[in-house]
Amino acid sequence: MSSITYTAAPNPAATIAHERAQTTFDTDAMNLFLEGGDPQHVALIKETLLQLERDPVFRTGPQYYDLTTPEHREETAKKIARFAQYLEVDARNNNSAATKVRLDFLSVLDPQMLSRTQIFLVLFLNCIKGNGSPEQYRFWCEQLKANQMRNMYGCFAMTELAHGSNVAGLETTATLDLDTDEFVLTTPHIGATKWWIGMAAHTATHAVVYARLVVKKDTVNDYGVKAFVVPLRDANHDLLPGVSVGDIGAKMGRHGIDNGWIQFNCVRVPRGYMLLKFAQVDREGNVKDSPLNQLAYAPLINGRVQMVADSFRFGARFTTIALRYAVARKQFGKASDGEEKQLLDYPLHQTRLLPSLAATYVMAAASHKLRAYQDHVLEQLGLVRETDKSGLNDAISAMKHLFVVSASLKATFTWLTALLIDECRQACGGHGYSAYTGFSKGYEDWVVQCTWEGDNNVLSMSAAKSIVQALKKGKDLHSDLAFLASKSLSGKLPILSSFASGVASADHLKVILKAFHGLIIRAGENCIVVLKENGNDWDELGQLQVGITRVFAHSYALGVFLETIPAGLQPQLRAIAELHALSVITSHAALFMEYNVISSENYPSVARRIAELNRFLRPQVIGLTDSFKMPDFLINSPLGKYNGDIYNAYFDTLKQQNDVSITKAPYSHVVEGMLNRSDLSVRERNERTEQVMRILSK
Amino acid sequence: MSSITYTAAPNPAATIAHERAQTTFDTDAMNLFLEGGDPQHVALIKETLLQLERDPVFRTGPQYYDLTTPEHREETAKKIARFAQYLEVDARNNNSAATKVRLDFLSVLDPQMLSRTQIFLVLFLNCIKGNGSPEQYRFWCEQLKANQMRNMYGCFAMTELAHGSNVAGLETTATLDLDTDEFVLTTPHIGATKWWIGMAAHTATHAVVYARLVVKKDTVNDYGVKAFVVPLRDANHDLLPGVSVGDIGAKMGRHGIDNGWIQFNCVRVPRGYMLLKFAQVDREGNVKDSPLNQLAYAPLINGRVQMVADSFRFGARFTTIALRYAVARKQFGKASDGEEKQLLDYPLHQTRLLPSLAATYVMAAASHKLRAYQDHVLEQLGLVRETDKSGLNDAISAMKHLFVVSASLKATFTWLTALLIDECRQACGGHGYSAYTGFSKGYEDWVVQCTWEGDNNVLSMSAAKSIVQALKKGKDLHSDLAFLASKSLSGKLPILSSFASGVASADHLKVILKAFHGLIIRAGENCIVVLKENGNDWDELGQLQVGITRVFAHSYALGVFLETIPAGLQPQLRAIAELHALSVITSHAALFMEYNVISSENYPSVARRIAELNRFLRPQVIGLTDSFKMPDFLINSPLGKYNGDIYNAYFDTLKQQNDVSITKAPYSHVVEGMLNRSDLSVRERNERTEQVMRILSK
Ligand SMILES: Cc1cc2nc3c(=O)[nH]c(=O)nc-3n(C[C@H](O)[C@H](O)[C@H](O)COP(=O)(O)OP(=O)(O)OC[C@H]3O[C@@H](n4cnc5c(N)ncnc54)[C@H](O)[C@@H]3O)c2cc1C
Ligand SMILES: Cc1cc2nc3c(=O)[nH]c(=O)nc-3n(C[C@H](O)[C@H](O)[C@H](O)COP(=O)(O)OP(=O)(O)OC[C@H]3O[C@@H](n4cnc5c(N)ncnc54)[C@H](O)[C@@H]3O)c2cc1C
């Protein structure tokens, strides 16, 4: 019948194939750049992905989006057990690089599995390594085989119901009992209940517990928060006496993690269970305190560095989905060939998505650099002996700088990625709201990254404080902060006053970077003035501190990115760098104009230049997303399919997950009962009919 | 034991009670203002809330956050069936006001239930009323009792897999068969599959189907998209022949809605099933077309107006939670009494939350005004006869204006509310991520409002287009747009150049409103210039259009708000108005500076003034949130409890929902199996020991 052939079906796959063919650069070379430039590492990634893709336990697919919480919990546990087997093999092969790559990609494949593993392998083990003596590490981690994920599963019990960011205010106590030479761990009241502790509910056998060290001799002495190893469950996986544990229950996302609360009811552990690298208590209750209490929180830094890497990978995943969709989907306005226009040909759509793509590229470079720096600092800290005063001081100041950089990047990029996922979802219209397209679980799992292991606002305030203090000091600056000494950038003259057009140039990018630096200096100088006036009340500067930290994080990332651009890919990568930088300026326009880093007369040029860069990058979008080399099984979204056959893939997914032969819901009787009910008057036994009313009111 | 009494438990309830006692205004009077100023209406709200709170079917509580999708679907169906009974009684009492209030609050209590009802009562029935003849309405809605939710359940089948925003491009066909005098409805290909249709999967008996009217006489004539009533299920609730339906499956939120896809396979309906108020086809296939095709989409406007009301109610719910928490929660920095500081005493926290509170107040006023205007316009359209040319023209131009205002407010306020919910969640730290605190379901259910019944970007572009066209025309302006004629606001001089301090004044607020108007005019003039240069390509202006629409929506709301401030509440309400206005300027700072509406030198005054207003409002925050009079059962969050006893409420919730006596997970064997596994070498049957290697490599 002709009505069936009246219009032709859309052919998105052809559109994608057509654009892919237009790519003007080498996507392998681009991928090498994105992965940090080492071909061996890229080869390792390929191997790892192959193993993940074909491992039945790690299979992905739309069923993932239909799992209930109990199912997520069980699947996650199975994935962890499977991962533990890879871990053993990697360890035997002395291939810790492989383990890292595995974890990086598992973080995309299933972030809830990653954090359940990471809290143990990174927070718990690093805490023992960093805060314990070599003997403590050797016993728990090597002898008991925690590092093989055998016998022990450690959780990280820092946060309490009433205290999160303010770690120094935690209220769980570890009181030394001088008679028995034990610590007595106690939760004094509801507010001190350990809260949110990942894997406490059903998995962990041990916890690193952050508690106040209390020694009672003549008076009660509170030595502040220290870390203790506390067993929670025995080898039969039964809760030990005195330990109360419960499930935190329903969350926004990460349903696969069994977060729990813990109360300690006079739980006794031997004195040797306090981690004693930096602080020690002897048999008589004499305390030798830590040179820097914050060292106890160092394990959190690894988590933050991982989140920067995650920002890159999640950015890659979601921009790939939204951009492939934006190329494949057509809506409105006939283009020249009589077809509707592709979404990505609307300038508004370009402005919504291309800056996210650019940000993802820039985050990649920053993440590699940050990780390398972290490895270096932690190695330094690990090698230093407690007796080596000057070595310890160097290590501590490196740690402090690592804190500033990792805190800034963690806060800035996890926020950016949250917005990125949401914008990508909205850019897919209604289909972005389908759980099968990946956005909803992606977003719900993601956003906790803005809160945990350091709330983003709190981290940003604290990082900016260090930056402003460095500016004030003005000397002995870490090379990342050397720009703070550039007196020429302070003052009131515009720094970014001309705008490039055409091909993005290295020189112009340097000026933009200077503008970022200038902004930090000027805003920092303003902080110093305000602090002088307000009696050093940093709290009043909160909002400005957040701004400074963000611009710093972007300037750091941009600097790294510009340094690593390889020769063959300059046109694309410089355009990407400039697009990202100008987008950052746009989102902080008020700051840039307020400090006249860019004048308000010049400001309209930013939008014009962004539009120009968008047009330049537009035809390369498929190539630029292909360069992430994110395979379909990791993308796990019909809208992001490599072959572009989005509508068939999406419809098939729906039919696979929802049996079409079932046309009535299990609760159909409720609906049918409502529709088929009799008239109100009948159901009221006619008690209100006029006739009856006459009888009743007689 | 003394370690237990070493520190005192927090007492958040006392803190809240203390601040509540400091309220300096009458919260009843404030509530009256928030509800639109009619005491009878406020009384009706109280009655309705009492009925909702005590109705077992509508009960709320933490279990709501633990429901699975099938449970949500069933609960939602039960709530709808219960609501249908209230509806009958309201109808008998001639009390449509009560029905409206019920729906408004059900929208907070369970948004998925609301939309499942609303699509039928508002989209479906209004579509028949607005697009059908009086006889068509009388038959389906009155005689068949659809308006009592009996016999029929209607869904609204507009969107297709390949076409959403571009409604004119829909591809489902309704081809007139001249032989049988029937329409043949057909889904020509996968792209034309009706998609996302709420209640299609399991509930609906009928659909209003938007399909192309095709008549084949000598040639194939396509008359564009019209609306048809098509039965989907018979009275036994079985799918009718030719109708294929399936479940859309897992979504980001609103799990309780059974969204479905529909394919029509030569489904025949009588010619009289086309809604014929504006377009008709006679027995010979002659078509008389509609004066304005968009009239067919008018039912969507009701939905948009409802979303503006929802924005107010959701803003009220989530700011109440976050602000009560911000007052009750203490963290860091000892205050003068030796206690830690309340979160809301940090200026950063004030800047994050108080503008949201202010926005909620302003949205309240705007929503009442918009709803009144809508009722007026729809009445006008309902009364006009098809033969009354000039009456029809007036009605159409009123409709067009209603479209502009409702589209701007829908887009601007649903976006604002999405950000508001997210910021409120983050402001509650980790606890905001607990599903029991309400944010996650709130957010996931909310964000689709930015997409459905008109994507926000598409609506914004289209509203701005009308505004710019009105500016160009410059005469016969609707009173809401009369400001466009103020030539004095165009040009380049700053409009907002001085900043008030102290008590917010009516005069200064008028200047701020002028600044908003000036921005719209200047940006609009810029559009006109660009259009002249680029050959009238509106697409290039997309981003600017979105900005114009937002500022217009805020200027409309602010104008309404300022007009309705009652005498007794001026200090608080003017401060709220100014705080909201300055926050809008902050979020559009680049635009305001670019057009020099406010100069960049003056810009720092905005932040200073915001900080001052925050300090002024800070002590009244409990009173200002109490004024919403949102009862605990609607807030449904332990962090937002009226009495402030947040920690106990939260802990009790967890224990109620997660049986503490179950200490092992059902999948514990997976974990235990992993922990208790033997060494790799053993599990490998020692195949890799050196001894064996020696044997094997001989
Ligand atoms: C899913 C999940 C898993 C977790 N897993 C673990 C775990 O395994 N182990 C563990 O120990 N913890 C865990 N946490 C806890 C997490 O680390 C904390 O939630 C986080 O550190 C923030 O602390 P908080 O929730 O107490 O927020 P708060 O510190 O109470 O902060 C609340 C709000 O106030 C603001 N604020 C606080 N102080 C200031 C200030 N001085 N100035 C301005 N604003 C301020 C913050 O920005 C925030 O928005 C987890 C949390 C979640 C949600
Ligand atoms: C849960 C849910 C329930 C729904 N219920 C119903 C229902 O009951 N009945 C029904 O008929 N529909 C329903 N819908 C569909 C909904 O109305 C559409 O999703 C919505 O209208 C947007 O259309 P789209 O998804 O096709 O997006 P598209 O139109 O494809 O837009 C995709 C993206 O492209 C952008 N874009 C599109 N055109 C342009 C342009 N010209 N310029 C710049 N940018 C552009 C948009 O801003 C958007 O971000 C529902 C959707 C959802 C998610």
Side-chain angles (χ1 to χ4, degrees):
Chain A
M1 203 181 129
S2 64
S3 68
I4 296 177
T5 54
Y6 168 63
T7 50
N11 189 351
T15 313
I16 293 268
H18 174 75
E19 294 219 358
R20 181 165 285 132
Q22 291 174 355
T23 306
T24 57
F25 60 90
D26 177 1
T27 57
D28 286 325
M30 191 60 97
N31 179 251
L32 181 63
F33 165 76
L34 281 166
E35 295 297 353
D38 173 2
Q40 261 188 304
H41 188 70
V42 170
L44 180 60
I45 290 176
K46 272 195 194 147
E47 274 181 36
T48 310
L49 287 177
L50 194 74
Q51 290 184 334
L52 284 184
E53 179 166 15
R54 295 187 181 165
D55 194 310
V57 181
F58 293 127
R59 75 153 182 171
T60 63
Q63 76 289 342
Y64 181 68
Y65 303 119
D66 268 314
L67 296 181
T68 61
T69 295
E71 288 164 350
H72 268 300
R73 295 261 176 108
E74 173 158 1
E75 291 258 309
T76 308
K78 286 182 181 160
K79 286 178 195 165
I80 293 169
R82 184 74 183 136
F83 170 76
Q85 299 174 340
Y86 281 98
L87 184 75
E88 286 170 334
V89 175
D90 288 345
R92 182 168 60 196
N93 298 341
N94 252 322
N95 196 349
S96 65
T99 306
K100 279 187 195 154
V101 170
R102 246 181 260 296
L103 287 172
D104 259 15
F105 285 96
L106 280 169
S107 186
V108 183
L109 187 142
D110 187 354
Q112 47 200 12
M113 179 263 162
L114 191 272
S115 41
R116 230 168 119 164
T117 315
Q118 161 115 352
I119 289 176
F120 175 25
L121 293 183
V122 177
L123 291 191
F124 181 86
L125 291 187
N126 273 348
C127 185
I128 296 187
K129 194 174 202 167
N131 290 299
S133 66
E135 292 71 23
Q136 290 180 320
Y137 182 77
R138 231 169 282 138
F139 174 71
W140 277 305
C141 304
E142 293 176 2
Q143 193 169 326
L144 285 190
K145 307 268 189 256
N147 57 359
Q148 290 185 19
M149 304 180 79
R150 281 170 56 203
N151 302 316
M152 276 176 82
Y153 206 106
C155 66
F156 187 79
M158 184 182 264
T159 307
E160 297 173 357
L161 175 55
H163 283 95
S165 305
N166 182 15
V167 190
L170 295 174
E171 293 172 293
T172 301
T173 50
T175 309
L176 186 66
D177 183 335
L178 283 167
D179 297 337
T180 62
D181 201 23
E182 291 172 313
F183 288 112
V184 184
L185 277 114
T186 300
T187 303
H189 52 69
I190 179 177
T193 307
K194 290 290 172 188
W195 207 266
W196 280 122
I197 312 308
M199 277 73 64
H202 300 120
T203 314
T205 61
H206 290 69
V208 168
V209 177
Y210 285 79
R212 311 196 79 77
L213 167 60
V214 177
V215 181
K216 296 179 190 165
K217 294 177 87 173
D218 304 328
T219 55
V220 178
N221 282 311
D222 176 336
Y223 293 93
V225 176
K226 314 278 173 252
F228 301 80
V229 173
V230 183
L232 302 176
R233 289 181 171 83
D234 64 19
N236 296 333
H237 218 61
D238 286 321
L239 277 184
L240 288 163
V243 176
S244 305
V245 158
D247 192 336
I248 286 283
K251 298 188 290 287
M252 182 161 183
R254 308 230 174 196
H255 310 302
I257 309 179
D258 54 319
N259 289 96
W261 53 264
I262 313 177
Q263 290 182 328
F264 297 102
N265 311 295
C266 304
V267 172
R268 291 175 167 264
V269 297
R271 186 164 51 91
Y273 282 34
M274 183 174 110
L275 295 176
L276 48 68
K277 180 161 185 178
F278 300 115
Q280 297 100 27
V281 198
D282 68 17
R283 182 63 186 92
E284 281 73 44
N286 300 309
V287 177
K288 196 180 138 272
D289 214 345
S290 167
L292 180 72
N293 245 329
Q294 278 115 297
L295 282 176
Y297 316 131
L300 290 169
I301 288 185
N302 302 67
R304 291 176 196 153
V305 172
Q306 177 70 42
M307 286 186 236
V308 176
D310 286 349
S311 299
F312 155 48
R313 298 273 172 218
F314 274 71
R317 178 172 174 224
F318 289 107
T319 55
T320 301
I321 300 173
L323 284 166
R324 285 187 180 154
Y325 184 75
V327 167
R329 172 87 166 175
K330 298 177 180 178
Q331 202 78 192
F332 285 111
K334 308 271 176 213
S336 49
D337 56 357
E339 287 246 17
E340 287 177 281
K341 238 164 127 164
Q342 293 162 266
L343 290 185
L344 200 55
D345 286 335
Y346 292 105
L348 176 60
H349 217 71
Q350 295 172 5
T351 311
R352 290 169 66 194
L353 292 180
L354 295 185
S356 292
L357 179 68
T360 302
Y361 267 70
V362 174
M363 291 193 291
S367 128
H368 301 312
K369 171 78 179 261
L370 175 64
R371 202 172 254 181
Y373 181 60
Q374 165 197 251
D375 292 347
H376 166 73
V377 172
L378 292 185
E379 198 187 317
Q380 196 180 347
L381 189 71
L383 292 176
V384 77
R385 294 178 201 206
E386 299 97 276
T387 49
D388 170 7
K389 273 260 146 77
S390 103
L392 198 61
N393 277 342
D394 285 354
I396 288 177
S397 93
M399 270 297 292
K400 282 185 178 172
H401 184 67
L402 176 60
F403 167 80
V404 174
V405 179
S406 63
S408 320
L409 269 63
K410 183 271 192 188
T412 305
F413 293 150
T414 57
W415 264 331
L416 187 154
T417 304
L419 292 179
L420 176 154
I421 299 172
D422 189 60
E423 189 66 61
C424 287
R425 178 184 61 73
Q426 289 196 43
C428 294
H431 302 323
Y433 199 72
S434 164
Y436 305 120
T437 61
F439 292 104
S440 68
K441 181 127 184 76
Y443 184 83
E444 292 152 21
D445 282 355
W446 182 263
V447 290
V448 70
Q449 308 255 47
C450 303
T451 301
W452 68 12
E453 298 180 32
D455 168 87
N456 280 0
N457 279 298
V458 174
L459 286 182
S460 299
M461 288 170 81
S462 146
K465 193 170 168 180
S466 301
I467 294 169
V468 173
Q469 280 165 340
L471 174 73
K472 204 171 164 188
K473 205 170 146 210
K475 52 179 194 202
D476 301 332
L477 298 168
H478 187 283
S479 62
D480 293 339
L481 293 174
F483 70 85
L484 290 175
S486 324
K487 293 276 167 276
S488 66
L489 294 178
S490 93
K492 292 208 146 224
L493 287 179
I495 301 174
L496 192 61
S497 48
S498 74
F499 281 82
S501 70
V503 179
S505 88
D507 284 343
H508 187 62
L509 281 162
K510 275 187 204 138
V511 180
I512 298 184
L513 188 55
K514 272 212 175 113
F516 282 43
H517 290 158
L519 179 76
I520 298 167
I521 292 173
R522 294 177 188 188
E525 285 169 344
N526 184 23
C527 288
I528 296 171
V529 171
V530 173
L531 289 166
K532 223 178 245 163
E533 288 167 6
N534 76 6
N536 218 31
D537 177 5
W538 283 92
D539 288 339
E540 220 178 86
L541 291 168
Q543 208 190 354
L544 187 54
Q545 287 176 290
V546 175
I548 290 175
T549 293
R550 286 188 177 175
V551 176
F552 169 70
H554 286 300
S555 75
Y556 174 93
L558 191 64
V560 173
F561 187 83
L562 295 180
E563 276 164 23
T564 46
I565 293 182
L569 301 166
Q570 283 166 348
Q572 293 80 21
L573 289 177
R574 287 194 186 139
I576 282 175
E578 195 178 336
L579 177 58
H580 173 65
L582 296 184
S583 309
V584 171
I585 293 181
T586 306
S587 7
H588 298 82
L591 277 182
F592 279 90
M593 286 193 245
E594 191 179 323
Y595 292 99
N596 209 34
V597 172
I598 161 167
S599 69
S600 49
E601 293 87 65
N602 265 326
Y603 186 75
S605 310
V606 176
R608 272 195 293 274
R609 178 64 176 157
I610 288 180
E612 191 185 4
L613 291 164
N614 284 341
R615 278 193 300 273
F616 172 75
L617 292 170
R618 165 67 190 89
Q620 302 305 314
V621 154
I622 291 299
L624 289 170
T625 47
D626 282 357
S627 298
F628 294 128
K629 306 237 182 244
M630 179 83 64
D632 278 351
F633 84 95
L634 273 188
I635 288 185
N636 200 10
S637 169
L639 302 191
K641 278 235 170 302
Y642 181 80
N643 71 8
D645 192 15
I646 52 174
Y647 293 130
N648 286 313
Y650 183 24
F651 199 17
D652 288 347
T653 296
L654 251 64
K655 286 191 280 195
Q656 176 188 328
Q657 287 305 106
N658 303 278
D659 186 340
V660 291
S661 71
I662 299 172
T663 63
K664 283 197 178 188
Y667 60 84
S668 197
H669 59 280
V670 179
V671 178
E672 294 175 49
M674 173 182 79
L675 293 176
N676 299 333
R677 75 193 191 282
S678 54
D679 194 78
L680 178 59
S681 57
V682 177
R683 281 154 42 226
E684 284 179 338
R685 303 166 220 83
N686 295 316
E687 278 167 349
R688 289 186 183 233
T689 53
E690 273 178 43
Q691 202 189 354
V692 173
M693 290 322 288
R694 247 178 285 124
I695 300 172
L696 294 178
S697 51
K698 250 187 202 149
Chain B
M1 205 182 127
S2 64
S3 68
I4 296 176
T5 54
Y6 170 64
T7 48
N11 189 351
T15 314
I16 293 268
H18 174 74
E19 294 219 358
R20 181 165 287 133
Q22 291 174 355
T23 306
T24 57
F25 60 90
D26 177 0
T27 55
D28 286 326
M30 191 61 98
N31 179 251
L32 182 63
F33 165 75
L34 282 165
E35 293 298 354
D38 173 0
Q40 262 188 303
H41 187 70
V42 171
L44 180 60
I45 289 177
K46 274 194 192 149
E47 273 180 37
T48 310
L49 288 177
L50 193 75
Q51 290 184 335
L52 284 184
E53 178 166 15
R54 296 189 180 163
D55 194 312
V57 180
F58 292 128
R59 74 151 184 172
T60 63
Q63 75 289 341
Y64 181 67
Y65 302 120
D66 268 314
L67 297 179
T68 61
T69 295
E71 288 164 349
H72 268 301
R73 296 261 176 108
E74 174 158 1
E75 291 258 312
T76 309
K78 285 182 181 160
K79 287 178 194 163
I80 293 168
R82 183 74 183 134
F83 170 76
Q85 299 174 339
Y86 281 98
L87 184 76
E88 286 170 333
V89 175
D90 288 345
R92 183 168 59 195
N93 299 340
N94 251 321
N95 196 351
S96 65
T99 306
K100 278 187 196 155
V101 170
R102 246 181 260 294
L103 287 172
D104 259 15
F105 284 96
L106 280 169
S107 185
V108 183
L109 187 142
D110 187 354
Q112 47 200 12
M113 179 262 161
L114 193 271
S115 42
R116 228 167 121 166
T117 315
Q118 162 116 353
I119 289 176
F120 176 24
L121 293 183
V122 176
L123 292 191
F124 182 85
L125 292 187
N126 274 347
C127 184
I128 297 187
K129 194 173 199 168
N131 290 300
S133 66
E135 292 71 22
Q136 290 179 318
Y137 182 77
R138 231 170 282 138
F139 175 71
W140 277 304
C141 304
E142 294 176 0
Q143 193 169 326
L144 284 190
K145 306 269 188 257
N147 56 0
Q148 290 184 20
M149 304 180 78
R150 281 169 57 202
N151 301 317
M152 276 176 82
Y153 206 107
C155 66
F156 188 80
M158 184 183 264
T159 307
E160 297 173 356
L161 175 55
H163 283 95
S165 305
N166 182 15
V167 188
L170 295 173
E171 293 173 292
T172 302
T173 49
T175 310
L176 186 65
D177 183 336
L178 283 168
D179 297 338
T180 62
D181 200 23
E182 290 171 314
F183 288 113
V184 184
L185 276 112
T186 300
T187 303
H189 53 69
I190 178 176
T193 307
K194 290 290 173 189
W195 207 266
W196 279 121
I197 311 308
M199 277 74 63
H202 301 121
T203 313
T205 61
H206 290 69
V208 168
V209 177
Y210 285 78
R212 311 197 78 78
L213 167 60
V214 178
V215 180
K216 299 181 190 164
K217 293 175 87 170
D218 305 328
T219 56
V220 178
N221 282 311
D222 176 338
Y223 293 93
V225 176
K226 313 280 174 247
F228 301 80
V229 173
V230 183
L232 301 176
R233 289 179 171 85
D234 64 19
N236 297 332
H237 218 63
D238 287 320
L239 279 183
L240 289 164
V243 176
S244 305
V245 159
D247 193 337
I248 286 283
K251 298 188 290 286
M252 180 160 185
R254 308 231 174 195
H255 311 302
I257 309 178
D258 55 317
N259 290 95
W261 54 263
I262 313 176
Q263 290 182 327
F264 298 101
N265 311 295
C266 305
V267 173
R268 291 176 167 263
V269 297
R271 185 165 50 91
Y273 282 33
M274 181 174 112
L275 295 177
L276 50 65
K277 182 161 182 176
F278 300 116
Q280 297 99 27
V281 198
D282 66 17
R283 183 65 186 92
E284 280 74 44
N286 301 310
V287 177
K288 194 179 139 272
D289 216 344
S290 168
L292 179 73
N293 246 328
Q294 277 116 295
L295 282 176
Y297 316 129
L300 290 170
I301 288 185
N302 302 66
R304 291 176 195 154
V305 173
Q306 177 69 41
M307 286 186 236
V308 176
D310 286 350
S311 299
F312 156 48
R313 299 272 172 219
F314 274 72
R317 179 173 173 222
F318 289 107
T319 55
T320 301
I321 301 173
L323 284 166
R324 286 187 181 155
Y325 185 74
V327 167
R329 171 89 166 173
K330 297 177 179 176
Q331 202 78 189
F332 285 111
K334 308 272 175 212
S336 49
D337 57 356
E339 287 246 19
E340 287 177 280
K341 239 164 127 166
Q342 293 162 265
L343 290 185
L344 199 55
D345 286 334
Y346 292 106
L348 176 59
H349 217 71
Q350 293 172 7
T351 311
R352 291 169 66 194
L353 291 180
L354 295 185
S356 292
L357 179 68
T360 303
Y361 267 71
V362 174
M363 291 193 292
S367 127
H368 300 312
K369 171 78 178 261
L370 175 62
R371 200 172 257 181
Y373 181 59
Q374 166 198 250
D375 291 348
H376 165 76
V377 172
L378 292 186
E379 198 188 315
Q380 195 181 349
L381 189 70
L383 291 177
V384 76
R385 294 177 202 207
E386 299 94 278
T387 49
D388 170 8
K389 273 261 147 74
S390 107
L392 199 61
N393 277 342
D394 285 354
I396 287 177
S397 94
M399 270 298 293
K400 283 185 177 169
H401 183 67
L402 176 61
F403 167 79
V404 173
V405 179
S406 63
S408 320
L409 269 64
K410 183 271 192 189
T412 305
F413 292 151
T414 57
W415 264 330
L416 188 155
T417 304
L419 292 178
L420 177 154
I421 299 172
D422 189 60
E423 189 65 62
C424 287
R425 178 183 62 73
Q426 290 197 41
C428 294
H431 302 323
Y433 199 71
S434 162
Y436 305 121
T437 62
F439 292 105
S440 67
K441 179 122 184 82
Y443 184 82
E444 292 152 20
D445 282 356
W446 182 263
V447 291
V448 69
Q449 307 256 50
C450 303
T451 301
W452 68 12
E453 298 178 33
D455 169 85
N456 281 359
N457 279 298
V458 174
L459 287 182
S460 299
M461 290 169 81
S462 144
K465 192 169 170 182
S466 300
I467 294 170
V468 174
Q469 281 166 338
L471 174 74
K472 201 169 169 191
K473 206 169 144 210
K475 53 179 192 195
D476 300 332
L477 299 168
H478 188 281
S479 60
D480 294 337
L481 294 174
F483 70 86
L484 291 175
S486 322
K487 293 275 167 276
S488 66
L489 295 177
S490 91
K492 292 210 146 220
L493 287 179
I495 300 173
L496 192 59
S497 48
S498 75
F499 281 83
S501 71
V503 178
S505 87
D507 284 345
H508 187 61
L509 281 161
K510 275 186 206 140
V511 180
I512 299 184
L513 188 55
K514 270 210 176 119
F516 282 43
H517 290 158
L519 179 76
I520 299 167
I521 292 173
R522 294 178 189 187
E525 285 168 345
N526 184 22
C527 289
I528 297 171
V529 172
V530 173
L531 288 166
K532 220 178 247 163
E533 288 167 8
N534 77 5
N536 218 32
D537 178 5
W538 283 92
D539 288 340
E540 220 178 87
L541 290 169
Q543 209 189 353
L544 187 54
Q545 287 176 291
V546 174
I548 291 176
T549 293
R550 286 188 177 175
V551 176
F552 169 70
H554 286 300
S555 75
Y556 174 92
L558 191 64
V560 172
F561 188 82
L562 295 179
E563 275 164 24
T564 47
I565 293 183
L569 301 166
Q570 284 165 348
Q572 292 81 22
L573 290 176
R574 285 193 187 141
I576 283 175
E578 196 178 335
L579 177 58
H580 174 65
L582 296 184
S583 309
V584 171
I585 292 181
T586 307
S587 9
H588 299 82
L591 277 182
F592 278 90
M593 286 193 246
E594 190 179 324
Y595 292 100
N596 210 33
V597 172
I598 162 167
S599 69
S600 49
E601 293 90 64
N602 266 325
Y603 185 75
S605 310
V606 176
R608 273 196 292 276
R609 177 64 176 157
I610 288 181
E612 190 184 6
L613 292 164
N614 283 343
R615 278 193 300 275
F616 172 76
L617 291 170
R618 165 68 190 87
Q620 302 305 313
V621 154
I622 292 299
L624 289 170
T625 47
D626 282 357
S627 298
F628 293 129
K629 305 237 182 243
M630 179 86 63
D632 278 352
F633 83 95
L634 273 188
I635 287 186
N636 201 10
S637 169
L639 303 191
K641 277 238 171 301
Y642 180 80
N643 70 9
D645 192 15
I646 52 175
Y647 294 131
N648 286 312
Y650 183 23
F651 199 17
D652 289 346
T653 296
L654 251 65
K655 287 191 281 195
Q656 177 188 326
Q657 287 304 107
N658 303 279
D659 186 340
V660 291
S661 71
I662 300 172
T663 63
K664 284 197 178 190
Y667 60 84
S668 197
H669 59 280
V670 180
V671 178
E672 295 176 45
M674 171 181 82
L675 293 177
N676 299 332
R677 76 195 191 280
S678 54
D679 194 78
L680 178 58
S681 57
V682 178
R683 280 154 41 226
E684 284 179 340
R685 302 165 219 83
N686 296 316
E687 277 168 352
R688 289 185 183 235
T689 54
E690 274 180 42
Q691 203 190 350
V692 173
M693 291 324 287
R694 246 176 287 125
I695 301 171
L696 294 179
S697 50
K698 251 186 203 146

